[in-house]
Amino acid sequence: MAEPMVRSELVCKNFGALRVLKGISLTVDRGEVTCLVGPSGSGKSTFLRCINHLEQVTAGRLWVDGELVGYHERGGKLHEMPAKDAARQRRDIGMVFQKFNLFPHLTALENISEAPIRVKKQKKTVATDRARELLDQVGLSDKAKAYPAQLSGGQQQRVAIARALAMDPKLMLFDEPTSALDPELVGEVLDVMKELARGGMTMIVVTHEMGFAREVADSLVFMDAGVVVESGKPREVLANPQHERTKAFLSKVL
Amino acid sequence: MAISHSGTGSGTGAGSDPGTGPGAADNAPELIQAVPLRRPGRWIAAAIVIILLFLFLYGAATNSAYDWSTYGHYLFDKRVSKAAGVTLSLTVLAMFFGIVLGVVLAVMRLSPNPVLRYVSFGWLWFFRGTPVYVQLVFWGLLVVIYKQIDLGIPFVHQFAHIDTQNLLTYYWLAVIGLALNESAYMAEIVRAGLTSVDEGQDEAARALGMSWGQTMRRIVLPQAMRVIIPPTGNELISMLKTTSLVTAVPLTTELYSRTRDLAVETFNPIPMLLVASTWYLFFTSILMIGQFYLERYFARGASRKMSVRQLQALADAQGVGNQKGLI
């Protein structure tokens, strides 16, 4: 059996005295879409940020594509990873943020081509052509020259997805990608994500969109207070939750 | 209250304006052509100010103390324009080193390394806390305090002696003095700019695999520039005038000292002050123009407001491009 894309073993994360993750264990196979759901403060976003080392894991082990995240293991000891190696790990992992975090001083096209040019040292013409393709793919080919402030929230998030895709990631992380959007704009972003999932992208999505989870996800993980309460096939978990906390949460959001 | 629906209003509006788009033509209301409100207060205020201004200019032109012929004679005097050149080069050099050092100090101040943080803070505390005039006097005495510089391994071996007297002219001491003082102020300005950029920008750049240096250069600094430029323009103009203090070093070849020396020749300081002021104003004006364009460049993407051209493109797409008044 092939190595899973993401393997997490008892991952813990403390912020000072505060314990945010208390031992998360799960695996995400290649080409699989996993949705992380749960109440605010349950640690979903923190776990997602640990996967690309925006947060440093305090205890436990986390592998992406068979490679330990954030540390080198030598002679039975863990060594903190130099910034350069961490950057190399991150560039294969796309991330989409709740607040888009587009670069406001760059046009939509430049937002997408910036990292391929700087990080992958692609030729400007190559990166720009690819950026145009990606803009087309997210349905925004006419917005190439627009600055983020001139785009709607949904359009900005689609540009942000294209920006992450430009690095040809093997894994995409979505941190509540539709939570900051007007209801009528949620659909256009979810459509782009569904398209990606159909294309075989491995995705981990923190979301409150249960409809999306049911339709697209291969597995659903319910988190609360820093632990995984239950997980399984989305339809089964949503229709027939086993734990009281899951039932209570789902009764509020469904 | 009834709204009149008769006569010229809607009837001719739709009929006589064939330029309106096909769909909107039938019910688009006519543009308002109201009689403007009269504002006598504005006219009176403007008249008073203009009269006062005229009186001042007339007084200045006819007052013999200003001695305009001497002013005209010395304004483009070679000694004066050369001194103006010294002032300008002092300003540019001191600002350049001040900004570079300021960026370094700001980055040190935000560094996770406590030693760098405290050293940066101590530097700021010292150079902001003492008058620049006093600092300049100190720099002038540097060659007395440190008569020579020894290059080598401390306490062990020396490679070379350099006499500071030969190394540093008063001109360079003045540049160093002004630059170090400026660096403390620039550090705070740059720090304000860097911290004004949203944390998410840094995260997004790192998530894309960009290094710290790339993130700074390509993402954070360009956005920080919007905050950094206006106060830096202030500092630049302020520096232009602060150069008149380098007489403390003592450097006396710049604009203010030179015009003051010339005043001894003419027995009338007033026209020479006017000459110096004119040159200072001339440089300041040029710097202000430069600042305007810099600000416009770094403001790109900062506002939702679209340029006239972008608005026109949208209007054209809407099919009412020819009806500019509505947009």
Side-chain angles (χ1 to χ4, degrees):
Chain A
M1 197 187 116
E3 175 77 21
M5 184 56 83
V6 177
R7 188 151 60 92
S8 166
E9 274 178 16
L10 295 168
V11 163
C12 297
K13 175 66 191 173
N14 301 345
F15 290 105
L18 185 69
R19 296 169 65 213
V20 177
L21 298 179
K22 301 167 190 164
I24 306 288
S25 296
L26 57 83
T27 60
V28 177
D29 285 325
R30 282 156 206 281
E32 197 185 75
V33 177
T34 299
C35 279
L36 294 180
V37 301
S40 298
S42 58
K44 315 177 295 285
S45 289
T46 304
F47 180 64
L48 204 67
R49 294 159 60 82
C50 284
I51 295 175
N52 70 351
H53 200 47
L54 282 180
E55 303 291 354
Q56 198 166 22
V57 171
T58 323
R61 297 283 189 277
L62 187 57
W63 291 268
V64 171
D65 203 10
E67 204 179 326
L68 195 60
V69 172
Y71 297 93
H72 289 306
E73 197 160 16
R74 280 194 299 263
K77 264 194 155 177
L78 288 189
H79 299 259
E80 266 186 52
M81 190 178 264
K84 212 175 138 198
D85 296 349
R88 185 182 48 73
Q89 284 188 338
R90 282 191 195 108
R91 74 185 192 194
D92 294 335
I93 304 172
M95 183 147 191
V96 175
F97 299 87
Q98 182 178 356
K99 289 183 190 153
F100 328 136
N101 293 351
L102 287 180
F103 306 133
H105 60 302
L106 302 178
T107 62
L109 197 70
E110 290 165 345
N111 261 281
I112 302 171
S113 64
E114 180 70 16
I117 292 172
R118 304 291 153 193
V119 179
K120 285 195 156 181
K121 313 291 180 199
Q122 282 182 7
K123 276 221 177 76
K124 198 171 172 203
T125 49
V126 175
T128 305
D129 286 347
R130 172 88 172 113
R132 275 187 210 287
E133 260 171 50
L134 286 165
L135 267 185
D136 194 40
Q137 190 182 328
V138 297
L140 291 171
S141 42
D142 56 332
K143 298 291 183 190
K145 289 205 169 116
Y147 286 100
Q150 297 166 343
L151 300 174
S152 74
Q155 290 169 338
Q156 288 190 52
Q157 195 60 298
R158 280 144 69 194
V159 173
I161 293 172
R163 176 175 71 175
L165 291 176
M167 293 299 283
D168 296 314
K170 55 192 175 192
L171 167 68
M172 285 283 285
L173 309 175
F174 293 85
D175 188 4
E176 302 202 28
T178 58
S179 298
L181 297 177
D182 289 343
E184 59 164 355
L185 303 178
V186 168
E188 64 187 52
V189 172
L190 292 183
D191 285 344
V192 169
M193 291 168 63
K194 282 175 200 166
E195 197 60 45
L196 264 184
R198 249 176 254 134
M201 177 64 76
T202 313
M203 296 162 58
I204 304 179
V205 187
V206 172
T207 187
H208 295 294
E209 297 290 331
M210 295 305 160
F212 174 82
R214 191 188 340 243
E215 191 186 335
V216 180
D218 300 293
S219 74
L220 187 139
V221 175
F222 176 72
M223 283 176 66
D224 190 20
V227 296
V228 173
V229 176
E230 68 176 292
S231 63
K233 294 263 171 254
R235 275 168 211 283
E236 287 163 20
V237 176
L238 290 174
N240 190 17
Q242 301 299 306
H243 287 262
E244 281 311 313
R245 276 191 287 178
T246 319
K247 280 179 198 163
F249 176 75
L250 291 177
S251 72
K252 280 178 211 149
V253 297
L254 282 179
Chain B
M1 189 178 118
I3 295 166
S4 165
H5 202 273
S6 65
T8 52
S10 56
T12 54
S16 68
D17 188 5
T20 343
D26 301 327
N27 42 20
E30 202 181 345
L31 297 179
I32 293 171
Q33 308 261 348
V35 177
L37 186 62
R38 294 195 187 287
R39 301 175 199 276
R42 288 184 185 175
W43 287 100
I44 295 167
I48 291 172
V49 170
I50 287 174
I51 289 168
L52 287 174
L53 200 63
F54 173 77
L55 287 175
F56 172 76
L57 289 176
Y58 180 78
T62 53
N63 189 333
S64 64
Y66 286 110
D67 195 357
W68 290 108
S69 68
T70 310
Y71 168 84
H73 184 259
Y74 279 99
L75 184 59
F76 297 111
D77 188 294
K78 224 177 177 173
R79 287 167 291 180
V80 173
S81 55
K82 220 175 143 195
V86 173
T87 287
L88 193 63
S89 73
L90 271 178
T91 307
V92 170
L93 282 172
M95 252 347 250
F96 173 77
F97 292 120
I99 289 172
V100 170
L101 247 170
V103 171
V104 173
L105 286 167
V107 171
M108 281 169 69
R109 188 82 190 277
L110 298 169
S111 148
N113 185 332
V115 175
L116 296 187
R117 246 185 357 246
Y118 290 129
V119 166
S120 171
F121 178 80
W123 181 284
L124 233 78
W125 171 78
F126 181 78
F127 283 100
R128 276 202 317 184
T130 53
V132 63
Y133 191 86
V134 174
Q135 290 172 29
L136 287 169
V137 174
F138 253 105
W139 284 104
L141 296 171
L142 186 82
V143 290
V144 180
I145 304 171
Y146 301 99
K147 291 198 171 62
Q148 57 193 26
I149 297 171
D150 297 330
L151 291 180
I153 305 160
F155 310 114
V156 181
H157 181 75
Q158 287 174 2
F159 303 122
H161 289 292
I162 302 168
D163 281 340
T164 49
Q165 203 98 45
N166 304 332
L167 184 70
L168 295 163
T169 59
Y170 284 141
Y171 178 83
W172 283 103
L173 286 171
V175 169
I176 293 170
L178 291 172
L180 295 198
N181 179 257
E182 186 57 36
S183 71
Y185 292 91
M186 282 309 304
E188 286 297 86
I189 291 171
V190 173
R191 186 168 67 97
L194 292 180
T195 47
S196 77
V197 178
D198 185 60
E199 215 182 358
Q201 294 292 307
D202 181 64
E203 266 179 15
R206 280 198 291 150
L208 287 165
M210 291 172 86
S211 67
W212 181 86
Q214 285 171 333
T215 305
M216 269 294 159
R217 270 199 316 279
R218 301 289 310 173
I219 307 300
V220 177
L221 266 178
Q223 293 180 57
M225 286 309 260
R226 273 185 58 235
V227 175
I228 292 174
I229 287 174
T232 304
N234 257 353
E235 290 298 311
L236 185 56
I237 287 168
S238 166
M239 174 65 80
L240 182 75
K241 297 172 297 178
T242 307
T243 54
S244 62
L245 296 181
V246 298
T247 171
V249 171
L251 179 72
T252 54
T253 54
E254 49 68 55
L255 188 56
Y256 176 66
S257 303
R258 183 42 58 88
T259 50
R260 210 184 36 190
D261 291 346
L262 288 172
V264 178
E265 242 170 60
T266 62
F267 302 112
N268 188 356
I270 294 168
M272 295 320 293
L273 285 176
L274 292 173
V275 166
S277 302
T278 306
W279 278 98
Y280 283 122
L281 275 173
F282 171 68
F283 287 142
T284 307
S285 311
I286 290 178
L287 296 178
M288 284 170 76
I289 294 168
Q291 181 178 351
F292 170 82
Y293 284 104
L294 263 183
E295 272 182 33
R296 200 172 64 171
Y297 174 75
F298 282 107
R300 67 198 194 284
S303 159
R304 305 187 51 130
K305 269 199 202 142
M306 299 188 209
S307 67
V308 174
R309 197 182 303 164
Q310 283 173 312
L311 284 172
Q312 188 59 43
L314 279 184
D316 287 341
Q318 217 174 42
V320 291
N322 40 15
Q323 210 181 356
K324 285 177 191 144
L326 279 180
I327 302 158

